[in-house]
Amino acid sequence: MHRLLLLSCLWLLAAPPASSIFQRPTGTPAPLRLQYLLEPLHPTVHTQRGATATLPCVLRALPHNYRVKWSKVEPANYQENIIIITNGLYHKNYGPLSPRVRLRHGHRYDASLTITDVALEDEGRYRCQLVNGLEDESISLTLHLEGVVFPYQPSNGRYKFNYHEAKRACEQQDSRLATYQQLYKAWTEGLDWCNAGWILDGTVHYPIINSREPCGGRLLLPGVRTYGARDKQKDRFDAFCFTSALQGQVYFIRGHLNFKEAGQACRNHGAALAKVGQLYSAWKFSQLDRCDGGWLADGSVRYPITTPRQRCGGLPEPGVRSFGFPSKEMRTYGTYCFVGK
């Protein structure tokens, strides 16, 4: 009995501690621990177009001869573009963001990046990197714009855009090509669209809530269906555009106007024909709700509904309804105008 107890004690002394029994497989690198940078409490910063946003990056210590470099990862080409470099005393700005960025400098350990007048193209992933010889380390943050995704096609029908034309078309409508994350979020919020469209990274998708025959069949589950990456020059689809809060106001002028008269009616008020993205933004952020079809700058006729009702199209979901692209000579509709702040 004593011998058995002694052997048990010897085994316990020889056994590895509990924390080391389940060791990482040989060759697997240990996760890097941040020595100088604090892990951000909230890695996603939410904002809207036109606002001021700050991406946090705080040092816990100041190493000798260090630099902090801010950069942005562009999903369209996967490049990392430098925004600003600082050594704590001096800094230099780079690229198109240069006029709108600065370091917050709330205290001597603060290297947070502040972006003023946030634009649609500012959304995405940012990296704050401490450059200190062999001890380089970095944190990643995401700037997320609250907004709305809408499908877009030109007046001559569906599947007419190559990638570059789709990108240009969104920009002409006060928006930009949506990211996959934006399209996915729009799908979770009810976007159901059977036509495939380009998104920012050059892939093609379409979001389906209600499975049906013309949209891949009834047997396929709902989801964001994908065609994957396509030829940006040769392949042609629609576009999924994204827009955020307006820097101005959209309003309706009642009347029986053709397209030319609609434009003049807006100009008479010191405004311009509203773009499609501006109407979607007013619907999303200002709850613009009208049962009246009105001309827009691209020659389409649409109207925004936040409270669905039978006499306004009869559809149960809120949204921006479309009459397509009627003849510009028709005197049937009013007009939606936009005036900037």
Side-chain angles (χ1 to χ4, degrees), residues 190-213:
L191 181 60
D192 183 282
W193 196 254
C194 207
N195 295 343
W198 294 102
I199 63 171
L200 187 60
D201 64 2
T203 58
V204 175
H205 309 266
Y206 65 103
I208 294 296
I209 299 289
N210 303 304
S211 299
R212 49 202 187 274
E213 286 306 327

Side-chain angles (χ1 to χ4, degrees), residues 261-289:
E261 293 165 342
Q264 187 59 53
C266 292
R267 289 191 292 273
N268 291 343
H269 287 76
L273 277 168
K275 299 177 179 180
V276 177
Q278 291 167 341
L279 185 66
Y280 269 93
S281 180
W283 165 74
K284 173 77 172 181
F285 292 99
S286 303
Q287 287 72 56
L288 185 62
D289 184 288

Side-chain angles (χ1 to χ4, degrees), residues 42-46 55-56 122-127 140-145 181:
H42 301 290
T44 299
V45 175
H46 297 265
L55 299 166
D122 296 343
E123 171 149 317
R125 188 161 62 89
Y126 292 75
R127 190 158 78 111
S140 291
L141 300 111
T142 299
L143 185 66
H144 172 76
L145 269 69
Q181 290 78 9

Side-chain angles (χ1 to χ4, degrees), residues 31 56 66 68 111 141 150 220 261 267 296 310 324 327 330 335:
Y66 77 95
V68 170
L141 300 111
F150 61 93
L220 285 180
E261 293 165 342
R267 289 191 292 273
L296 296 176
Q310 192 61 40
S327 167
M330 287 183 64
T335 182

Side-chain angles (χ1 to χ4, degrees), residues 155-298:
S155 59
N156 57 342
R158 73 172 194 160
Y159 294 177
K160 301 296 182 182
F161 295 135
N162 67 24
Y163 173 82
H164 306 287
E165 292 164 344
K167 186 172 183 288
R168 212 160 34 241
C170 288
E171 290 166 356
Q172 290 169 352
Q173 297 308 315
D174 192 47
S175 58
R176 72 180 304 218
L177 279 175
T179 64
Y180 181 81
Q181 290 78 9
Q182 290 165 344
L183 182 62
Y184 184 88
K185 184 174 184 290
W187 169 71
T188 66
E189 295 171 349
L191 181 60
D192 183 282
W193 196 254
C194 207
N195 295 343
W198 294 102
I199 63 171
L200 187 60
D201 64 2
T203 58
V204 175
H205 309 266
Y206 65 103
I208 294 296
I209 299 289
N210 303 304
S211 299
R212 49 202 187 274
E213 286 306 327
C215 307
R218 298 179 182 275
L219 298 181
L220 285 180
L221 293 174
V224 179
R225 297 174 184 166
T226 180
Y227 287 5
R230 312 298 290 192
D231 189 306
K232 292 182 178 180
Q233 292 288 354
K234 297 179 181 178
D235 290 326
R236 295 189 172 270
F237 298 95
D238 291 346
F240 286 105
C241 305
F242 171 84
T243 191
S244 186
L246 276 177
Q247 299 300 290
Q249 179 188 7
V250 172
Y251 62 93
F252 181 74
I253 295 179
R254 189 183 300 276
H256 297 282
L257 309 170
N258 64 28
F259 178 72
K260 185 177 179 180
E261 293 165 342
Q264 187 59 53
C266 292
R267 289 191 292 273
N268 291 343
H269 287 76
L273 277 168
K275 299 177 179 180
V276 177
Q278 291 167 341
L279 185 66
Y280 269 93
S281 180
W283 165 74
K284 173 77 172 181
F285 292 99
S286 303
Q287 287 72 56
L288 185 62
D289 184 288
R290 289 206 67 100
C291 219
D292 310 277
W295 292 102
L296 296 176
D298 67 340

Side-chain angles (χ1 to χ4, degrees), residues 41-118:
L41 186 60
H42 301 290
T44 299
V45 175
H46 297 265
T47 188
Q48 294 181 356
R49 178 167 54 176
T52 296
T54 297
L55 299 166
C57 184
V58 178
L59 284 67
R60 67 171 85 233
L62 301 177
H64 293 294
N65 301 320
Y66 77 95
R67 289 178 297 150
V68 170
K69 179 176 74 174
W70 276 99
S71 55
K72 184 175 187 288
V73 179
E74 299 297 342
N77 52 23
Y78 302 103
Q79 290 184 345
E80 193 163 312
N81 296 326
I82 297 174
I83 300 169
I84 195 169
I85 296 178
T86 180
N87 63 0
L89 295 175
Y90 307 101
H91 69 273
K92 185 174 181 180
N93 294 14
Y94 297 85
L97 265 173
S98 180
R100 297 188 290 111
V101 295
R102 58 180 171 82
L103 294 170
R104 183 173 63 181
H105 273 326
H107 48 80
R108 68 194 189 105
Y109 297 99
D110 185 12
S112 301
L113 183 74
T114 295
I115 305 173
T116 60
D117 193 19
V118 170

